[in-house]
Amino acid sequence: MCTYLTQKIELDGAAKGATGWFTLSDGAVYVDHPYHATHEHTLNIDFTNPGEGPSARVAVELTEEAALALVEAIQKALAAAPPGLASGAHARAAS
Amino acid sequence: MNDAIWAGTISVAGHENAELEAYLARPLGEEPRGGVVVIHHMPGYDEASKEIVRKFAAHGYAAVCPNLYSREGAGVSPDDQAAAARAKGGVPDEQLVGDVAGAAAHLNGLDHANGKIGVIGFCSGGRQTFLAACSLQIDAAVDCYGAFVVNEPPAESGMKVTSLLSKAPGLSSPLLGLFGADDSFPGPEEVAVLAAELEKLGKDHEFHTYPDAGHAFFAVDRPSYRPAAAVDGWKKIFDFYGRHLSA
């Protein structure tokens, strides 16, 4: 099935795509048919910057298990660092 | 019999005369032939869509698939175009109708065109096929598991699309509908509501719902592929177009 549901988020950071590094502004997360992965459905994440055009995109297609493991790993990594160390507000204040 | 075909990328004029990339395949023979507009699925203008276009040409039709996401930029890969279009909630209905009209006009302008036009679409293209057939004068429409023809999409989907049921009185052609019994978008109850509405309106339609098949059962490059449903489905498509697109 196509779920058609898309969770959109604002992102602050950078990503490396097919043409090199770019600043991230947006993200989309959805469970739907993948473009490349050989599974019927995957959890798909698009890291994008629409201001730099559609090619400013890093695409990831993960199984449900892999997506949940990624969420857990992100939370563990953040928990292991001092709170606020990677915060955008912190970075702006320090600069 | 000459079964050779030509296939390649062309430009067609879409809605508001926008230049669209499109993939055309046509027989090299000189027999009069109908045209088929192929509407690609939501993941975009991909290899599988182009293969479908060639399949129609191999069966004697001139077929074209316009890249509905062309406006996302020339030289952008189709998957990036699809992601950008998705983030915007898909293509507007009015634009889709104009793009299909442009593709149909291109087919009718080709040598040996007999003036008959079929439209076929898969997934979101199935809904768009119904939309085109209710908005334009065409001769045969094939809706392969299009959702949101009857039901509204979930509010949180962010999609621009709405139910098309109120447009059903405008259906200009016979409609072949091919669905999977295990699909949820559209689910069997949505298909039943559409069938009942078309029955009530006296619109020529033929629906088939395949058991043990879900969404995208025609997609040979995905685990959703169901050979029994797909093989029978193609047979029904060519039979249907054979009846409605001949001169």
Side-chain angles (χ1 to χ4, degrees):
Chain A
M1 57 185 263
C2 286
T3 67
Y4 294 92
L5 305 179
T6 305
Q7 310 292 332
K8 293 172 76 172
I9 47 171
E10 285 183 19
L11 295 177
D12 184 358
K16 192 171 184 182
T19 54
W21 283 96
F22 61 96
T23 301
L24 285 175
S25 63
D26 291 74
V29 182
Y30 47 97
V31 175
D32 217 324
H33 303 295
Y35 192 89
H36 187 82
T38 54
H39 299 282
E40 194 157 340
H41 299 92
T42 45
L43 182 286
N44 306 322
I45 310 174
D46 290 327
F47 298 95
T48 63
N49 184 339
E52 291 194 17
S55 299
R57 169 176 176 251
V58 171
V60 179
E61 299 174 336
L62 301 171
T63 61
E64 187 172 320
E65 294 82 358
L68 291 171
L70 175 64
V71 169
E72 194 181 333
I74 289 171
Q75 288 179 334
K76 276 186 185 167
L78 287 173
L85 189 64
S87 162
H90 172 85
R92 275 189 292 275
S95 61
Chain B
M1 171 195 170
N2 177 4
D3 64 354
I5 65 170
W6 180 93
T9 301
I10 60 160
S11 289
V12 299
H15 183 62
E16 295 180 335
N17 227 22
E19 183 179 339
L20 305 181
E21 179 183 16
Y23 189 76
L24 172 75
R26 57 176 173 76
L28 290 179
E30 302 200 338
E31 302 79 13
R33 62 186 69 115
V36 177
V37 179
V38 176
I39 305 181
H40 62 69
H41 57 171
M42 199 160 147
Y45 173 80
D46 57 7
E47 291 293 320
S49 303
K50 293 178 179 179
E51 191 161 333
I52 289 167
V53 171
R54 290 192 296 270
K55 189 177 182 82
F56 281 111
H59 282 256
Y61 299 93
V64 69
C65 177
N67 180 355
L68 302 177
Y69 305 149
S70 293
R71 294 170 184 82
E72 302 305 331
V76 174
S77 70
D79 59 318
D80 287 343
Q81 289 177 326
R86 182 187 185 107
K88 294 173 186 168
V91 299
D93 281 350
E94 185 190 2
Q95 179 180 304
L96 179 280
V97 171
D99 287 355
V100 172
H106 184 89
L107 290 173
N108 275 335
L110 295 174
D111 289 346
H112 315 299
N114 71 2
K116 304 271 185 157
I117 292 293
V119 177
I120 184 170
F122 302 81
C123 179
S124 56
R127 175 186 176 278
Q128 290 165 331
T129 292
F130 186 78
L131 171 67
C134 294
S135 311
L136 303 168
Q137 185 59 51
I138 63 163
D139 300 288
V142 183
D143 166 8
C144 300
Y145 35 78
F148 312 129
V149 171
V150 171
N151 297 341
E152 298 287 345
E156 65 274 25
S157 74
M159 300 293 293
K160 288 178 185 145
V161 306
T162 55
S163 164
L164 298 175
L165 203 57
S166 64
K167 293 186 185 291
L171 181 62
S172 66
S173 75
L175 176 69
L176 173 65
L178 301 172
F179 307 100
D182 300 337
D183 200 348
S184 306
F185 294 102
E189 66 297 332
E190 185 173 2
V191 173
V193 171
L194 180 59
E197 181 69 11
L198 296 176
E199 196 68 43
K200 192 178 85 185
L201 294 168
K203 297 291 185 183
D204 186 356
H205 66 287
E206 177 186 334
F207 283 8
H208 300 277
T209 297
Y210 292 98
D212 304 318
H215 199 74
F217 61 79
F218 277 111
V220 294
D221 57 348
R222 294 169 185 267
S224 55
Y225 182 54
R226 294 294 178 273
V231 168
D232 187 73
W234 278 116
K235 191 162 168 268
K236 288 191 163 54
I237 290 166
F238 287 115
D239 176 66
F240 181 73
Y241 278 164
R243 282 183 277 130
H244 297 292
L245 298 185
S246 6

